[in-house]
């Protein structure tokens, strides 16, 4: 019997909670959430047409995937995100690293890039539609615009934070500018680049949904807008859940990538 | 003593602080660093020690005067002057061995040569067992050993060190100081070491360049004669030598004079 220990109170200032308590708490809040939802629909408190029961939403999700070809919509959405995000990263990584390394490059691009960051990407939708019509181009362009300027700026800032001593050490070992850029600055900022990409990917999903809701006949967002016309709220909610799940999966993939690429970093994320 | 390898000739440095303000950090300093010697730059905080060292490395340019290495005027950094900083500079993404090979690799040594030189210098600094570890797994003292091995393996003419052990705890610091004597004896590397630790200066120096502050000027060049022209390999031994405490007292007096002038 550990006699002297005070009984543990529920609210303890900054005392970490145990694993058991964390799992129970986490499950608890979701059980409450679904409980309220089930109760509200079963008791007729809410209109079943506007708020379908959770079990129905899950059944619909299953049906969408396995009977109604929703998979192709999901794949289209994923492809759009990967394409647009990939293009943005292909430009943002080298440019951001160059801007953070060479002040002359920063002097050229920084005034341009930072101005664009103040322009909300969705405000470009009307003009993108006029320029590119309703094909894939305006959706990719929206995602691209929405992501690239932030990505460049974040990568540039991280690159500037590469410690001067590392660069100077390399210089006194006889490194050329190219060596410094490729063998010192880039590897040293790479973990931060991956973290920045992970964060910006979440933003890309946001823009994807906007693009597909506003102007698309394919993809998850388009499916949801179709469902709206037929008052299929269960399908809309399925769409939301699928988007959330995809966001989570991509986030976990990036986390795994991070751990795999940087074994030398102690657990941080 | 032997020939000088580095000549500091009437070197001054004025920093431009912007908006027309300037700061004279170093004024008209001249001294020589003899080949294979350990030269210590000592002086109160802010007297310009780092600035002088950085000018030797070519990381700063003298406003006037010149620095000559092996007959050539210093113009920018180069592999002939390896530098070690107080802050850790290990490349975290490379193993200890790859860190040590870094300089050799960018200078085009063959893989076999790199490997064998890396082994040699890892052994010299006592890191053989940690060759495949990442720097983040090492203690502060061990990381500085990596930096030392990396710089030496690159075969510089001069090893420049700016308070290399300043961030280490006392025990590790004197182990590192003894290591440096060992390294100097075994490799005949010329070293210029900045410190403001009197004991460290006396222990390591074949010659002490004492700088005074605001602006940094040469105050005195002191040769610790009491060592009898030899290097003493361990710290317990050196403090028992006749003349050690006189030397310490003298340096303390110089430091104190500088401190008083600042007030
Ligand atoms: N890049 C710089 N720009 C402006 N002023 C500088 C710069 N580097 C150094 N100084 C100034 O020059 C003077 C000498 O600095 P330095 O770092 O060489 O001194 P130090 O002897 O190494 O000091 P410490 O013992 O604190 O390391 C200080 O007044 C410092 O503020
Ligand atoms: Mg200094």
């Amino acid at each position: 019997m550990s006699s002297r220990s005070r009984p543990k109170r529920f609210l303890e200032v900054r005392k970490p909670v145990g694993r058991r308590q964390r799992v129970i708490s986490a499950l608890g809040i979701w059980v409450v959430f679904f409980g309220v939802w089930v109760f509200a629909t079963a008791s007729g408190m809410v209109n079943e047409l506007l708020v379908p029961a959770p079990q129905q939403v899950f059944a619909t999700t299953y049906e969408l995937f396995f009977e109604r070809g929703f998979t192709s919509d999901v794949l289209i959405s994923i492809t759009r995100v990967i394409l647009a995000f990939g293009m943005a990263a292909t430009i943002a990584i080298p440019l951001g690293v160059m801007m953070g390394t060479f002040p002359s490059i920063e002097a050229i691009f920084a005034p341009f890039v930072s101005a664009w960051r103040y322009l909300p990407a969705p405000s470009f939708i009307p003009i993108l539609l006029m320029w590119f019509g309703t094909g894939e181009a305006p959706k990719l362009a929206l995602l691209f615009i929405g992501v690239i300027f932030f990505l460049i700026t974040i990568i540039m800032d991280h690159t500037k934070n590469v410690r001067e001593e590392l660069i100077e050490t390399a210089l006194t070992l006889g490194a050329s500018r190219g060596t410094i850029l490729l063998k010192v600055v880039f590897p040293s900022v790479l973990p931060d680049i991956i973290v920045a990409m992970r964060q910006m990917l979440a933003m890309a999903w946001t823009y994807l949904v906007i693009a597909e809701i506003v102007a698309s006949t394919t993809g998850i967002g388009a499916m949801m807008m179709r469902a709206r016309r037929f008052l299929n709220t269960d399908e809309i909610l399925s769409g939301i859940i699928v988007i959330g799940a995809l966001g989570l999966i991509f986030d976990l993939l990036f986390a795994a990538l991070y751990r795999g690429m940087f074994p030398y970093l102690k657990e941080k994320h | 003593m032997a020939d000088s390898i580095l000549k500091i000739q009437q070197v001054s440095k004025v920093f431009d602080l912007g908006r027309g303000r300037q700061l004279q950090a170093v004024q008209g300093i001249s001294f020589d660093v003899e080949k294979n010697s350990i030269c210590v730059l000592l002086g109160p905080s802010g007297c310009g020690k780092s600035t002088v060292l950085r000018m030797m490395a070519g990381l700063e340019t003298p406003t006037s005067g010149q620095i000559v290495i092996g007959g050539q005027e210093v113009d920018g950094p180069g592999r002939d002057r390896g530098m070690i900083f107080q802050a850790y500079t290990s490349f975290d993404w490379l193993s200890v061995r790859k860190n040590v090979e870094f300089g050799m690799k960018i200078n085009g040594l063959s893989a076999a040569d790199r490997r064998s030189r890396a082994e040699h210098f890892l052994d010299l600094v006592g890191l053989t067992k940690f060759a495949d570890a990442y720097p983040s797994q090492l203690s502060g003292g061990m990381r500085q050993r990596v930096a030392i091995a990396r710089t030496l393996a690159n075969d510089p003419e001069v090893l420049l060190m700016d308070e290399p052990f300043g961030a280490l705890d006392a025990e590790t610091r004197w182990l590192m100081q003894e290591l440096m004597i060992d390294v100097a004896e075994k490799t005949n590397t010329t070293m210029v070491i900045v410190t403001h630790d009197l004991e460290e200066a006396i222990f390591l120096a074949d010659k002490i360049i004492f700088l005074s502050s605001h602006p940094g000027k040469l105050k005195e060049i002191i040769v610790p004669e009491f060592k009898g022209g030899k290097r003493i390999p361990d710290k317990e031994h050196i403090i028992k030598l006749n003349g050690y405490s006189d030397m310490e007292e003298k340096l303390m007096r110089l430091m104190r004079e500088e401190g008083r002038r600042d007030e």
Side-chain angles (χ1 to χ4, degrees):
Chain A
M1 213 170 74
S2 62
S3 51
R4 275 318 200 146
S5 71
R6 253 193 303 122
K8 196 163 178 277
R9 296 171 300 190
F10 183 69
L11 298 179
E12 287 287 359
V13 177
R14 300 206 165 161
K15 292 257 163 61
V17 300
R19 191 184 164 76
R20 212 175 101 89
Q21 189 183 344
R22 258 185 300 136
V23 172
I24 292 175
S25 307
L27 286 177
I29 187 80
W30 281 104
V31 167
V32 170
F33 173 78
F34 281 108
V36 170
W37 187 357
V38 170
F39 177 78
T41 47
S43 66
M45 270 167 62
V46 293
N47 183 347
E48 181 96 20
L49 198 64
L50 294 179
V51 186
Q55 59 272 25
Q56 195 196 329
V57 173
F58 290 117
T60 307
T61 309
Y62 180 87
E63 201 187 299
L64 277 173
F65 272 106
F66 294 100
E67 287 158 31
R68 312 224 324 253
F70 185 44
T71 313
S72 69
D73 275 316
V74 172
L75 288 179
I76 286 172
S77 292
I78 293 178
T79 312
R80 285 176 182 151
V81 168
I82 291 179
L83 266 183
F85 191 77
M87 285 192 293
T90 310
I91 296 175
I93 294 172
L95 188 57
V97 172
M98 292 284 283
M99 286 166 72
T101 307
F102 302 110
S104 55
I105 304 284
E106 184 193 354
I108 298 172
F109 291 102
F112 183 77
V113 169
S114 44
W116 280 83
R117 277 190 307 149
Y118 295 102
L119 309 177
S123 64
F124 287 90
I125 291 176
I127 193 110
L128 291 175
L129 287 175
M130 287 176 65
W131 286 342
F132 299 116
T134 51
E136 285 305 299
K139 288 138 206 151
L140 297 181
L142 177 72
L143 265 74
F144 183 82
I145 295 174
V147 163
I148 188 164
F149 299 108
F150 285 94
L151 206 48
I152 291 174
T153 312
I154 299 171
I155 291 174
M156 174 185 77
D157 286 342
H158 283 306
T159 307
K160 284 191 197 167
N161 284 336
V162 171
R163 287 177 27 242
E164 198 61 28
E165 288 95 351
L166 291 189
I167 295 173
E168 290 183 338
T169 297
L171 281 170
T172 62
L173 288 170
S176 63
R177 286 170 301 170
T179 305
I180 298 231
L181 182 71
L182 297 175
K183 298 261 174 73
V184 179
V185 173
F186 183 67
S188 149
V189 77
L190 192 56
D192 291 326
I193 292 181
I194 298 297
V195 171
M197 286 176 69
R198 185 176 164 190
Q199 289 159 353
M200 290 312 296
L201 192 65
M203 199 145 145
W205 278 104
T206 310
Y207 288 123
L208 171 87
V209 176
I210 296 176
E212 289 184 346
I213 284 180
V214 173
S216 184
T217 53
T218 51
I220 306 172
M223 180 285 283
M224 289 158 71
M225 285 311 272
R226 266 199 314 275
R228 175 175 159 265
R229 250 185 285 145
F230 302 106
L231 302 179
N232 292 335
T233 31
D234 50 348
E235 291 180 12
I236 298 181
L237 292 178
S238 290
I240 294 177
I241 290 172
V242 169
I243 291 167
L246 286 174
L248 179 67
I249 289 170
F250 274 83
D251 203 51
L252 292 176
L253 284 178
F254 259 97
L257 182 71
Y258 188 93
R259 279 194 305 274
M261 280 176 81
F262 313 114
Y264 56 88
L265 292 178
K266 296 193 202 96
E267 285 290 295
K268 259 193 214 154
H269 293 271
Chain B
M1 253 203 178
D3 308 343
S4 58
I5 182 163
L6 254 174
K7 290 180 192 293
I8 305 355
Q9 295 167 339
Q10 285 300 319
V11 165
S12 298
K13 177 72 188 182
V14 178
F15 283 110
D16 199 342
L17 302 178
R19 288 198 235 105
R21 289 179 308 137
Q22 293 192 320
L23 181 122
Q24 174 121 37
V26 174
Q27 192 176 59
I29 290 184
S30 303
F31 64 92
D32 284 3
V33 178
E34 284 78 24
K35 203 165 170 37
N36 305 340
S37 74
I38 302 181
C39 174
V40 167
L41 296 182
L42 183 65
S45 182
C47 68
K49 306 180 292 291
S50 296
T51 307
V52 171
L53 197 75
R54 290 173 59 79
M55 288 191 286
M56 292 181 183
L59 296 170
E60 302 279 3
T61 326
T63 313
S64 65
Q66 59 178 354
I67 295 174
V68 178
I69 175 157
Q72 284 266 320
E73 190 172 345
V74 165
D75 176 25
R79 60 177 293 201
D80 53 340
R81 285 150 291 131
M83 177 118 167
I84 290 169
F85 297 82
Q86 175 175 352
Y88 303 135
T89 52
S90 12
F91 300 134
D92 288 341
W93 56 93
L94 299 175
S95 67
V96 167
R97 185 196 312 282
K98 287 273 159 58
N99 262 278
V100 174
E101 290 186 13
F102 184 90
M104 300 186 273
K105 185 162 185 186
I106 64 176
N107 287 303
L109 253 75
S110 75
D113 287 353
R114 289 201 308 258
R115 183 106 191 162
S116 68
R117 277 184 75 84
E119 297 289 338
H120 174 76
F121 286 99
L122 282 169
D123 181 49
L124 185 67
V125 300
L127 280 182
T128 305
K129 269 195 289 181
F130 297 92
D132 296 310
Y134 282 113
S136 59
Q137 299 168 304
L138 305 183
S139 69
M142 280 152 86
R143 287 201 202 191
Q144 283 308 64
R145 288 168 196 255
V146 175
I148 292 163
R150 179 177 58 192
T151 315
L152 288 172
N154 202 35
D155 199 20
E157 298 278 342
V158 187
L159 186 61
L160 307 172
M161 308 174 94
D162 194 351
E163 302 197 26
F165 315 131
L168 306 178
D169 58 82
E171 189 196 346
T172 315
R173 195 178 319 150
W174 55 256
L175 280 175
M176 293 297 287
Q177 291 163 358
E178 293 180 351
L179 174 74
M180 288 328 288
I181 295 289
D182 188 45
V183 166
E185 290 292 311
K186 285 184 180 151
T187 63
N188 276 329
T189 308
T190 312
M191 302 183 187
V192 182
I193 304 176
V194 163
T195 182
H196 56 229
D197 177 342
L198 302 183
E199 267 183 44
E200 180 166 285
I202 302 171
F203 181 64
L204 292 175
D206 297 330
K207 177 161 101 178
I208 298 174
I209 312 291
F210 197 101
L211 303 184
S212 67
S213 47
H214 304 306
K217 280 189 196 162
L218 182 66
K219 183 155 174 129
E220 201 169 329
I221 294 183
I222 302 150
V223 177
E225 306 278 5
F226 77 95
K227 292 198 223 173
K230 288 181 309 209
R231 288 177 184 146
I232 315 297
D234 61 275
K235 290 205 84 171
E236 293 99 315
H237 194 156
I238 195 170
I239 53 175
K240 287 194 213 123
L241 286 185
N242 262 338
Y244 177 87
S245 49
D246 288 347
M247 173 100 303
E248 193 171 25
E249 206 179 309
K250 177 182 169 119
L251 293 178
M252 262 182 193
R253 186 163 40 78
L254 287 173
M255 277 286 190
R256 189 152 294 159
E257 277 172 27
E258 285 308 308
R260 222 173 275 135
R261 255 171 19 99
D262 274 1
E263 277 154 20

